[in-house]
Amino acid sequence: MNAPIRPWTLIGTIDDIPAQGARCVKMGGMTIAVFRTADDRVFALEDKCPHKHGPLSQGIVHDGCVTCPLHNWVISLETGTAQGADEGRTETFPIRLEGRAIYLSLPR
Amino acid sequence: MTSKPERLVIVGNGMAPGRMLEHLFEAAPGAFEVTIFNAEPRVNYDRIMLSPVLSGEKNYDDIIIHGDDWYARHGVTLHRGQKVVAIDRATRTVTSEGGVTAEYDKLVIATGSNPFIIPVPGNMLPGVLAYRDLDDVDQMLAATRAGGRAVVIGGGLLGLEAAAGLKAQGMEVTVVHLMPTLMERQLDPAAGYLLQKALEDRGIEVRCGANTKAILGHDRVTGVELADGSVLDCSLVVMAVGIRPNVALAQAAGLEVGRGIVVDAGMRTSDPNIWSVGECAEVGGQVYGLVAPLYEMARVAAGHLAGPSDAAFRHSETPTKLKVTGINLYSVGDFAEGPDREEIVLRDARRGLYKRVILRDDRIIGAVLYGETDDGGWFNELMKKGEDISDMRDTLIFGQAHQGGGSFDPVAAVAALPDDAEICGCNGICKGQITGAIKDRGLTTLDEVRAHTKASASCGTCTGLVENLMAAVLGDAFAAGAVKPMCGCTTLPHGDVRRLIKAKELKTIPAVMQELEWSTSGGCAKCRPALNYYLLSDWPGEYVDDGQSRYINERVHANIQKDGTYSVVPRMWGGMTTADELRAIADVTDKYAIPAVKVTGGQRIDLLGVRKEDLPGVWEDLGKAGFVSGHAYSKGLRTVKTCVGSTWCRFGTQDSTGLGIKLEKFLWGSWTPAKVKFAVSGCPRNCAEATCKDVGVICVDSGYEIHFAGAAGLEIKGTAVLGHVKTEEEVIEVSAALMQMYREQGFYLERIYKWADRVGHDEVRRQVLHDVESRKRWFDRFVHSQKFAQVDPWSERVSGKDKHEFKPMFETVLEPAE
Ligand code: SRM
Ligand SMILES: Cc1cc2nc3c(=O)[nH]c(=O)nc-3n(C[C@H](O)[C@H](O)[C@H](O)COP(=O)(O)OP(=O)(O)OC[C@H]3O[C@@H](n4cnc5c(N)ncnc54)[C@H](O)[C@@H]3O)c2cc1C
Ligand code: SF4
Ligand code: FES
């Protein structure tokens, strides 16, 4: 069945995030980057580039991807995988938009 | 047999006999007891280097060839300031003006040359100098301290070096030259013209085809009158119209004399006990005025003095170079035109390049290079060897790098490399990896090759090589050299995009993408920052900055570090700070537990390792102490490096610190295509390293020499001279005009030197310096745009702008596990 294994948490509204931008959600030691695209889709990735752990939340968002601010790897927001010739993957988290409210399913 | 050392006497202590003695002491140590008479009261020094001494780049100590210890070590008696007035060949003695006499077994006459003084009224007035020895330089330097104008008569090598040196010391300088073009004996008219322009750009006035009629003045020089009746007011005249071999002494002694002292191929005069070397000697019917042949004479003479020798002087062509910093010219051999000659010419007006090679019977007989002279030595070699160049005729003018046996084809050259040849040094990528990726993945564009192999994706200097390699693999399918689109979202290159933004009055990023038919919806990380910049610079006050199209550093006004923390670099105007400022930095460091504080290479302080959430707090505290953002992260004005200047330094000519602060306060805040660094040095010693900055100012007595188009990062580029101005106001106006021209024309990430290369240095000079109207227009536009740009981004953020950037959106408090 499709029911989430983890509870959904309301983290804010889409207006808290600039279009083509990101904000962070802190969970103890972990940071999750929540992205908003130009067409108002939202994605959640661990804020850690598969290359050298650059903070993806600080990158430029474009085309459903984010370019890491440290060495320009391009990471897919949907799958968390590095694009082009680079190889690696960042963890993604289930996220859901209800109206303007954003719910994130946080890992325990 | 132990022989008593022979007595060797030398008249003249110049560069030729100095070299001769070095050879002699090596070949026959202890064989001679040497006595030298020198009319100059000093040891042997490098006369060639007088020009750098004059310009202030060197001092006398730097140019000494043989110091006192050298004479002591070799047991040489040096009579300083003792001009020899007579040689008695019967008694084999020489006698000096001061009455010192020496007997010789062998004598070497090395009296050099005398400068030619043109026979016009007033030529003996105080303030009229030749350019031959250190005394002349000392007198010129004394004159520069009084300032005013110098007239240099003679536009040859010496005259121009004197002019450049005097200019560097802050004098106004006019060169008066009889012939229609400068250095006509070494340069053809085209190169002479380029040289004249280059000198004029540094503020040296050049008058060719001008004949000196009289030197004016009563007890001191006050001016020069030309044949056309015009009068040049001046306080110094330097005569550098030529030299005459100094033969009077030899002539009086009854030696055979022609243009110089006549010697055989072994450098022996008509008296078998007497040799002659240097500019005073005439060998094979020729006299010489450059050191290379004189050193050859020295070698030959030393051979014969040391014992039986078959060494013989051979004529060779000596290249001429002008020792004026920043001007590159090279000429060698015969470059006159003639029916039996052919020439190959390369001109690049934009880069100010001119190259000409003169051929006869498929052999080089001369070469003139201006602007880029690296291949001079190679042309000279080919000429000396008399090599037949018909095989490389088509590529000869491009120089040695373009010869690959037969005709040069850069694509064939990379194709010929082995698979393990490294192409990209930054990323350690070999040829095989690139060709493999092209074939296996069907790559066709440079961007794809970069993405898949990283070759040329770092510093980019191997881009040409990678493109050639692609051409080798893909053949016609790869169109290198075609103008590159600014990114994968468009087919338009930067230049077209910039032009169309203005022409079509596009004022938002979406408008640009729509009207210019972007192939992606939202652009990419490459085009968006560029478009954001173009719009900001083209529509000041109208366009609203799009933070999301900015690289993180510029978005949050701090530099991201490898661990995701940030660095904070406040401005320290012109590198000045105060105890209060330092205290504020110390306090903020403690308060926010900032792990590292470093003095940067740009004369200010970097606080490293600041947590993003702490940035507004750090800025707030710094702001209270008067600090504003240093834009260490921006494509905009970074630092204005200064030296202490006339306020403190004993050499300072102007208030370089004060001017640097004024420039920084005037120019900060505006966005530019790439970062911009300034520096102001208080004198040509250039302690602020102004000549490797985007814009550098060198203060001189008479004002300010503005330099531009330097860099010292991925590429090291010395600046070019933009021109000379008299006041601080002009420096500021010209700098702002230059900034604005660059802001409106530069391509994103293109630093000033690249932009200036692209649009042409002369064009930049014309628009921001010489054409006063145009300068004013650029200046006014800059001032207008500054109204919107000079807002301290830190205080804006302290007052709440972009606060979402510095706070997490949501924080969970982890509960302890049960
Ligand atoms: C802090 C500093 C090094 C230091 O500890 O001294 C520094 C640090 C960085 N430099 Fe630099 N550069 C610093 C002076 C220089 C200088 C020296 C100078 O300015 O006199 C140069 C050579 C001069 C020049 O620019 O021509 C220099 C040439 C570069 C380059 C090469 C630029 C080029 O066009 O070739 C880069 C790379 C770039 O900009 O793309 C660079 C990039 C960087 C970056 C921004 C790397 C990055 O992208 O993160 C570093 C940021 C560190 C930080 O967070 O502060 N830095 N950098 C210096 C800051 C000066 C300041 O007060 O603002
Ligand atoms: C400013 C300047 C820049 C130059 N630049 C270059 C260059 O870039 N490249 C190049 O190849 N050449 C250059 N030259 C030329 C080069 O310096 C000379 O060719 C070279 O120094 C000549 O050497 P010499 O030994 O023949 O004579 P000098 O070096 O002139 O020495 C002659 C010495 O003899 C002394 N003397 C003369 N008569 C008597 C006497 N009766 N008794 C005792 N002593 C006497 C003189 O005082 C002098 O010290 C330059 C010259 C000058 C002045
Ligand atoms: S040279 Fe500049 S860019 Fe390189 S490590 Fe040092 S600070 Fe960083
Ligand atoms: S850490 Fe993201 S590209 Fe290197």
Side-chain angles (χ1 to χ4, degrees):
Chain A
M1 102 180 192
N2 256 354
I5 323 148
R6 296 169 292 200
W8 291 102
T9 310
L10 175 68
I11 56 166
T13 73
I14 192 166
D15 306 302
D16 295 335
I17 311 175
Q20 294 186 302
R23 292 287 297 275
C24 294
V25 170
K26 297 243 176 192
M27 257 214 46
M30 188 200 271
T31 304
I32 295 166
V34 180
F35 296 88
R36 169 179 173 189
T37 61
D39 52 3
D40 282 351
R41 286 178 297 149
V42 289
F43 299 96
L45 261 59
E46 185 175 6
D47 196 17
K48 218 171 167 185
C49 175
H51 179 218
K52 292 193 174 170
H53 301 176
L56 295 173
S57 58
Q58 316 292 295
I60 291 183
V61 178
H62 55 93
D63 287 342
C65 293
V66 58
T67 293
C68 174
L70 291 195
H71 317 95
N72 296 330
W73 279 29
V74 178
I75 311 298
S76 158
L77 296 177
E78 191 150 7
T79 63
T81 49
Q83 306 293 293
D86 299 319
E87 275 164 38
R89 188 172 171 279
T90 291
E91 195 176 343
T92 56
F93 300 97
I95 191 163
R96 174 159 76 82
L97 198 58
E98 253 174 44
R100 303 205 69 79
I102 302 175
Y103 292 88
L104 181 65
S105 168
L106 291 172
R108 268 192 218 267
Chain B
M1 186 189 93
T2 55
S3 57
K4 192 163 145 289
E6 281 192 287
R7 291 165 304 179
L8 172 65
V9 172
I10 302 174
V11 185
N13 193 30
M15 302 189 65
R19 178 58 66 92
M20 182 191 79
L21 285 176
E22 286 172 14
H23 288 302
L24 191 61
F25 291 146
E26 199 183 303
F32 290 95
E33 189 183 295
V34 181
T35 303
I36 307 177
F37 286 84
N38 193 14
E40 282 186 70
R42 48 184 74 93
V43 292
N44 184 20
Y45 62 92
D46 192 345
R47 195 174 303 284
I48 293 182
M49 287 298 157
L50 286 176
S51 296
V53 173
L54 176 61
S55 65
E57 291 164 55
K58 286 196 167 15
N59 59 41
Y60 173 60
D61 288 338
D62 297 330
I63 68 166
I64 290 176
I65 299 178
H66 297 145
D68 290 320
D69 56 323
W70 185 89
Y71 295 93
R73 202 162 61 242
H74 295 285
V76 174
T77 307
L78 172 63
H79 295 299
R80 301 165 207 235
Q82 292 290 345
K83 179 175 177 187
V84 171
V85 287
I87 301 172
D88 187 336
R89 290 160 58 197
T91 60
R92 294 203 202 152
T93 52
V94 303
T95 307
S96 77
E97 221 164 29
V100 181
T101 300
E103 288 180 37
Y104 65 82
D105 299 312
K106 287 175 175 163
L107 177 68
V108 174
I109 304 179
T111 45
S113 298
N114 290 323
F116 182 68
I117 300 296
I118 50 173
V120 293
N123 63 7
M124 301 304 272
L125 279 172
V128 181
L129 297 175
Y131 188 17
R132 182 69 198 173
D133 60 24
L134 188 68
D135 298 322
D136 297 326
V137 171
D138 284 341
Q139 288 192 55
M140 283 187 225
L141 287 175
T144 63
R145 283 189 278 279
R149 174 181 299 278
V151 171
V152 175
I153 303 179
L157 186 92
L158 286 191
L160 297 183
E161 290 190 5
L166 292 168
K167 182 79 204 176
Q169 295 292 355
M171 284 190 101
E172 300 280 313
V173 180
T174 303
V175 175
V176 171
H177 190 51
L178 187 58
M179 305 304 284
T181 57
L182 295 174
M183 289 184 73
E184 75 289 344
R185 290 199 296 162
Q186 291 89 14
L187 297 181
D188 55 18
Y193 159 78
L194 287 171
L195 174 59
Q196 177 167 347
K197 270 208 328 191
L199 292 166
E200 286 170 349
D201 285 338
R202 325 181 144 215
I204 296 175
E205 188 190 356
V206 178
R207 295 221 184 177
C208 286
N211 197 357
T212 306
K213 186 166 149 202
I215 295 172
L216 311 175
H218 290 293
D219 35 352
R220 242 204 99 75
V221 132
T222 57
V224 170
E225 186 182 346
L226 301 180
D228 67 6
S230 56
V231 171
L232 305 167
D233 292 336
C234 65
S235 56
L236 173 70
V237 170
V238 177
M239 236 184 242
V241 291
I243 50 172
R244 297 283 178 276
N246 183 1
V247 298
L249 183 67
Q251 202 159 24
L255 296 175
E256 188 188 338
V257 165
R259 284 161 71 203
I261 303 168
V262 176
V263 295
D264 64 15
M267 304 311 296
R268 200 186 295 238
T269 67
S270 54
D271 179 330
N273 294 319
I274 305 181
W275 279 256
S276 179
V277 294
E279 287 181 343
C280 58
E282 174 185 328
V283 54
Q286 298 233 35
V287 292
Y288 294 87
L290 290 171
V291 291
L294 311 185
Y295 283 167
E296 167 76 357
M297 294 178 184
R299 189 187 62 79
V300 171
H304 287 276
L305 287 168
S309 161
D310 52 10
F313 179 85
R314 287 221 327 268
H315 168 83
S316 68
E317 295 294 342
T318 308
T320 305
K321 299 170 205 159
L322 186 68
K323 300 188 300 299
V324 174
T325 311
I327 295 185
N328 296 317
L329 67 79
Y330 183 101
S331 114
V332 66
D334 180 352
F335 53 85
E337 287 170 35
D340 58 339
R341 290 139 191 242
E342 290 175 82
E343 57 174 18
I344 306 177
V345 175
L346 173 78
R347 288 177 199 265
D348 183 338
R350 197 169 51 73
R351 290 161 66 209
L353 287 191
Y354 171 78
K355 301 185 182 187
R356 176 161 165 255
V357 174
I358 301 89
L359 307 174
R360 189 169 54 205
D361 302 330
D362 290 328
R363 283 169 177 83
I364 298 179
I365 59 167
V368 181
L369 310 179
Y370 187 92
E372 202 180 86
T373 53
D374 295 351
D375 283 309
W378 182 66
F379 289 132
N380 191 21
E381 268 311 298
L382 292 174
M383 181 173 88
K384 277 204 223 148
K385 291 199 196 123
E387 228 158 90
D388 185 328
I389 56 82
S390 34
D391 281 349
M392 50 181 165
R393 187 189 215 92
D394 292 345
T395 52
L396 182 71
I397 197 77
F398 300 112
Q400 186 170 22
H402 291 260
Q403 314 306 322
S407 73
F408 179 77
D409 173 355
V411 174
V414 263
L417 291 174
D419 268 354
D420 60 359
E422 188 174 88
I423 301 285
C424 173
C426 294
N427 295 299
I429 309 297
C430 304
K431 178 185 165 189
Q433 287 167 273
I434 302 173
T435 49
I438 295 174
K439 287 181 190 145
D440 298 348
R441 296 169 183 264
L443 309 181
T444 54
T445 67
L446 182 64
D447 280 345
E448 288 171 350
V449 171
R450 283 186 176 155
H452 285 274
T453 66
K454 289 275 178 278
S456 83
S458 292
C459 76
T461 47
C462 62
T463 303
L465 217 51
V466 173
E467 285 180 336
N468 288 334
L469 189 52
M470 294 182 68
V473 178
L474 299 170
D476 291 343
F478 177 67
V483 210
K484 289 189 193 67
M486 64 186 269
C487 68
C489 307
T490 174
T491 54
L492 297 171
H494 283 270
D496 287 348
V497 173
R498 281 218 86 165
R499 186 173 47 74
L500 291 168
I501 286 176
K502 280 200 173 165
K504 294 178 172 261
E505 300 203 17
L506 307 175
K507 299 191 178 177
T508 63
I509 290 183
V512 175
M513 292 184 175
Q514 183 59 34
E515 293 297 321
L516 305 186
E517 301 176 352
W518 241 238
S519 64
T520 56
S521 60
C524 69
K526 255 187 178 171
C527 59
R528 273 185 19 225
L531 295 179
N532 188 52
Y533 168 70
Y534 294 156
L535 292 166
L536 259 181
S537 109
D538 288 343
W539 312 114
E542 286 185 66
Y543 176 71
V544 185
D545 195 1
D546 174 23
Q548 297 318 131
S549 294
R550 282 194 180 274
Y551 181 61
I552 182 66
N553 288 1
E554 293 188 337
R555 189 179 338 137
V556 301
H557 297 272
N559 298 58
I560 195 165
Q561 305 295 310
K562 59 187 279 191
D563 61 355
T565 63
Y566 287 80
S567 76
V568 169
V569 187
R571 269 198 199 281
M572 281 185 177
W573 307 100
M576 294 296 284
T577 185
T578 62
D580 282 342
E581 286 186 349
L582 292 173
R583 219 170 274 124
I585 286 180
D587 288 343
V588 88
T589 305
D590 286 344
K591 178 165 165 192
Y592 291 95
I594 296 172
V597 181
K598 180 180 183 300
V599 175
T600 73
Q603 286 188 337
R604 48 206 191 155
I605 290 176
D606 195 351
L607 305 169
L608 291 138
V610 182
R611 285 181 301 269
K612 196 178 181 192
E613 2 1 329
D614 288 344
L615 285 172
V618 168
W619 294 334
E620 182 168 10
D621 287 3
L622 290 175
K624 283 184 192 144
F627 281 115
V628 296
S629 165
H631 293 88
Y633 47 80
S634 81
K635 290 158 198 51
L637 182 75
R638 299 266 175 107
T639 54
V640 179
K641 195 164 165 174
T642 69
C643 71
V644 283
S646 59
T647 318
W648 294 99
C649 176
R650 66 204 164 101
F651 295 119
T653 62
Q654 310 280 357
D655 178 13
S656 48
T657 322
L659 176 56
I661 293 171
K662 284 184 198 156
L663 280 167
E664 192 167 354
K665 293 208 158 158
F666 197 79
L667 301 173
W668 74 273
S670 67
W671 299 102
T672 45
K675 59 184 161 194
V676 175
K677 297 175 179 179
F678 270 63
V680 186
S681 285
C683 84
R685 287 169 193 77
N686 192 14
C687 299
E689 298 167 329
T691 48
C692 65
K693 297 290 182 280
D694 297 279
V695 182
V697 179
I698 307 242
C699 301
V700 289
D701 275 325
S702 62
Y704 306 87
E705 192 166 83
I706 307 180
H707 289 241
F708 74 127
L714 297 166
E715 239 178 293
I716 307 271
K717 290 270 285 187
T719 47
V721 176
L722 185 70
H724 181 275
V725 298
K726 293 209 175 70
T727 63
E728 286 192 339
E729 288 65 39
E730 285 171 286
V731 174
I732 292 171
E733 183 172 306
V734 171
S735 303
L738 175 69
M739 283 282 264
Q740 187 63 15
M741 185 175 170
Y742 167 57
R743 294 184 69 232
E744 292 191 28
Q745 299 184 348
F747 297 163
Y748 192 63
L749 298 183
E750 182 179 58
R751 277 187 81 172
I752 285 190
Y753 73 94
K754 289 194 184 150
W755 159 73
D757 275 351
R758 181 164 60 74
V759 302
H761 286 192
D762 284 341
E763 193 53 29
V764 177
R765 284 187 191 102
R766 189 179 69 71
Q767 295 201 26
V768 309
L769 182 70
H770 299 310
D771 179 343
V772 179
E773 299 267 285
S774 136
R775 184 209 293 187
K776 187 81 176 52
R777 276 195 300 276
W778 288 122
F779 177 79
D780 289 345
R781 284 223 285 277
F782 182 77
V783 171
H784 174 71
S785 80
Q786 280 296 73
K787 278 196 250 165
F788 312 99
Q790 279 198 335
V791 183
D792 176 32
W794 288 355
S795 67
E796 272 188 308
R797 275 150 192 81
V798 171
S799 357
K801 185 168 183 190
D802 291 344
K803 52 176 179 304
H804 63 84
E805 280 288 357
F806 307 98
K807 276 208 309 242
M809 174 177 191
F810 183 85
E811 245 170 306
T812 59
V813 184
L814 282 190
E815 267 128 51
E818 69 269 24

